[in-house]
Amino acid sequence: MTTPIERRRESAETESTMTRRRSLQRRTTIEEIESWTRTENKKEDNNNNKDNDDNDVVSVGSLSTVEDLLQEDPLLMAVEDSIMAVEDSLLPPEEENESLLLQPPPPPLPEVVKFPRQQKTLDVAKYMAEREMTPMQERMNALTMIPNPIYCFYFIVASLWLSDMQEDSATSSSSDNASDASCLEIPLLPRLHAMPPLTIMAIALGITLHAPFSFLYHWKYASSLPPGLPRTNHWSRRMDQSFIHVCSALMAFGTTGSWDYFFVNVLFNCDCIYRQFKKKVRPRRNQIRIGLSILAYTLPILRRGDVVLFSQCWFVLGVAGWFFVKYPLGGWSHSAFHLVISLLPPLLMKAACKLPSSHDRIQVAAQCAALVSNQGGMA
């Protein structure tokens, strides 16, 4: 689509072209008349036998003489007028040309200013420097990692996953279903009558595997390495966060008892572990992925309809996250975070015990406990 300026330019060019064409055609007409006049003059000279000078011929054929003849001869004037009328019809009206020329040029189109997209990047060195802790505080972070694996071990060996009500129920009923092969007799662990369900073992294994790497990082390297990138890029910190994902994958099995769901979580957490060992550390991305892995093993609790237990889990996680993000106690906030998060394993163990896949193992353990109790009474 042409603009008004281009249309005016084309109109002006057309007008100049037609003007040149008109002048050329007029010149051609005049030259033809001049030639005809010369021929007639020569005939007249031959008839009258008069000698004319070359100057007379030139004067007759000159441009001024031809114009006089055009004005005197009506036939020639009619021809000239018809030629002019045809030429005028081919040209655009003068008023339109003048109006186009007098129109002000259109305002220029506003330039589109493209601002470069600014990506928010986290200054890792500044982020870690703001969370700098003293060696004493780092060692306290390490010590607060000890209670979780101890609790898991005690929960299993003391058969806390087997309630007193289940033992009484098994005692009152027949205990013939409990075979000697499924029951355990360990003198050092008298309360462990049978192996616990795999869901409980998975949760305890995840917590136990993570604890040594977190303890190592906080006790040795975080207390000795300079703050900032040297700590962030150190292999011990990467291993600490990587085993959080190992723990999350095992907990996903612990809260569902589904091997398919466990396999999906393994794939996701393996990708997270891979990203932990990239050259450039991105704390914000790593924290988001840890949050997603936590959501993955707590959502099944809500899906089963246990809203109360799900709310308790996320209340603990919310308070722990507040200590981790806001740092209300300064350098001691991370220790407070570890202490609050230690309230989560008992809730997850409770969720694992409620699974249908755990009931068979719990029933066998209850019958083994009842069998031991009966044998003790007979003795």
Side-chain angles (χ1 to χ4, degrees):
M1 182 175 181
T2 60
T3 61
I5 296 178
E6 293 177 349
R7 289 199 297 269
R8 288 198 296 272
R9 186 179 300 166
E10 292 175 359
S11 176
E13 291 177 355
T14 303
E15 184 179 4
S16 62
T17 302
M18 295 303 297
T19 302
R20 288 194 300 270
R21 186 184 300 173
R22 182 193 299 174
S23 61
L24 180 60
Q25 289 177 351
R26 183 173 181 179
R27 187 177 302 170
T28 303
T29 304
I30 293 173
E31 289 176 354
E32 292 175 354
I33 295 172
E34 182 182 352
S35 175
W36 177 78
T37 304
R38 288 177 182 174
T39 304
E40 291 297 325
N41 288 335
K42 288 180 180 180
K43 289 180 180 180
E44 186 178 354
D45 291 341
N46 293 330
N47 294 330
N48 297 329
N49 294 321
K50 293 180 180 180
D51 295 328
N52 296 322
D53 296 335
D54 292 335
N55 293 332
D56 295 336
V57 176
V58 174
S59 63
V60 173
S62 63
L63 185 61
S64 60
T65 305
V66 172
E67 291 176 349
D68 293 340
L69 289 173
L70 288 173
Q71 293 177 358
E72 293 176 357
D73 193 340
L75 181 59
L76 295 178
M77 290 180 65
V79 174
E80 179 67 16
D81 292 339
S82 63
I83 293 174
M84 295 292 291
V86 173
E87 292 176 351
D88 291 339
S89 64
L90 297 176
L91 292 175
E94 294 182 359
E95 295 180 357
E96 183 179 354
N97 293 337
E98 291 178 358
S99 63
L100 291 175
L101 292 173
L102 293 176
Q103 285 182 0
L109 295 175
E111 296 183 359
V112 179
V113 181
K114 293 184 179 180
F115 295 95
R117 184 180 179 183
Q118 296 181 355
Q119 295 183 352
K120 294 182 178 180
T121 57
L122 180 65
D123 189 346
V124 179
K126 182 180 178 182
Y127 171 80
M128 294 302 296
E130 291 175 351
R131 305 170 74 88
E132 182 180 358
M133 288 168 273
T134 63
M136 179 62 184
Q137 291 169 340
E138 288 290 359
R139 288 189 170 90
M140 182 58 66
N141 293 339
L143 293 174
T144 52
M145 290 301 300
I146 297 176
N148 279 342
I150 292 178
Y151 169 79
C152 292
F153 178 76
Y154 178 73
F155 185 85
I156 291 174
V157 299
S159 295
L160 297 181
W161 45 277
L162 184 62
S163 65
D164 294 336
M165 184 179 299
Q166 289 169 329
E167 290 186 17
D168 295 339
S169 176
T171 302
S172 60
S173 62
S174 176
S175 59
D176 295 337
N177 293 332
S179 63
D180 294 337
S182 59
C183 296
L184 296 176
E185 293 183 7
I186 303 175
L188 295 178
L189 305 174
R191 291 283 300 171
L192 185 62
H193 305 295
M195 290 297 296
L198 288 177
T199 53
I200 294 174
M201 294 292 291
I203 294 174
L205 180 62
I207 293 173
T208 305
L209 289 176
H210 169 241
F213 292 97
S214 182
F215 184 90
L216 177 66
Y217 167 70
H218 289 293
W219 184 269
K220 183 176 181 180
Y221 294 105
S223 60
S224 59
L225 292 171
L229 291 177
R231 292 186 188 180
T232 307
N233 294 332
H234 198 262
W235 66 268
S236 61
R237 186 177 185 274
R238 295 176 189 263
M239 290 295 290
D240 178 17
Q241 295 200 349
S242 296
F243 271 83
I244 292 177
H245 289 287
V246 173
C247 180
S248 295
L250 290 169
M251 285 182 174
F253 177 77
T255 57
T256 61
S258 170
W259 289 103
D260 294 337
Y261 191 72
F262 170 67
F263 179 70
V264 172
N265 277 267
V266 166
L267 293 179
F268 171 72
N269 286 283
C270 284
D271 180 70
C272 296
I273 293 172
Y274 163 74
R275 294 176 187 276
Q276 286 285 345
F277 286 91
K278 284 192 170 184
K279 184 177 181 180
K280 183 179 180 180
V281 178
R282 296 175 59 184
R284 191 183 304 274
R285 179 198 64 191
N286 295 340
Q287 291 170 8
I288 291 174
R289 284 177 165 261
I290 289 175
L292 291 175
S293 68
I294 294 173
L295 186 64
Y297 67 72
T298 54
L299 271 180
I301 301 174
L302 180 63
R303 186 176 179 274
R304 290 199 304 270
D306 200 340
V307 180
V308 175
L309 184 58
F310 177 81
S311 301
Q312 291 173 345
C313 291
W314 274 98
F315 176 77
V316 172
L317 290 168
V319 175
W322 179 72
F323 278 107
F324 182 82
V325 175
K326 296 298 183 181
Y327 259 50
L329 303 180
W332 298 102
S333 298
H334 202 82
S335 297
F337 161 72
H338 283 173
L339 290 174
V340 174
I341 206 73
S342 64
L343 300 176
L344 186 62
L347 298 175
L348 297 178
M349 292 293 190
K350 186 177 181 181
C353 291
K354 290 183 177 182
L355 292 173
S357 59
S358 302
H359 289 172
D360 292 340
R361 296 298 307 170
I362 292 175
Q363 186 66 27
V364 170
Q367 292 173 355
C368 290
L371 184 60
V372 172
S373 177
N374 292 335
Q375 290 177 354
M378 292 176 61

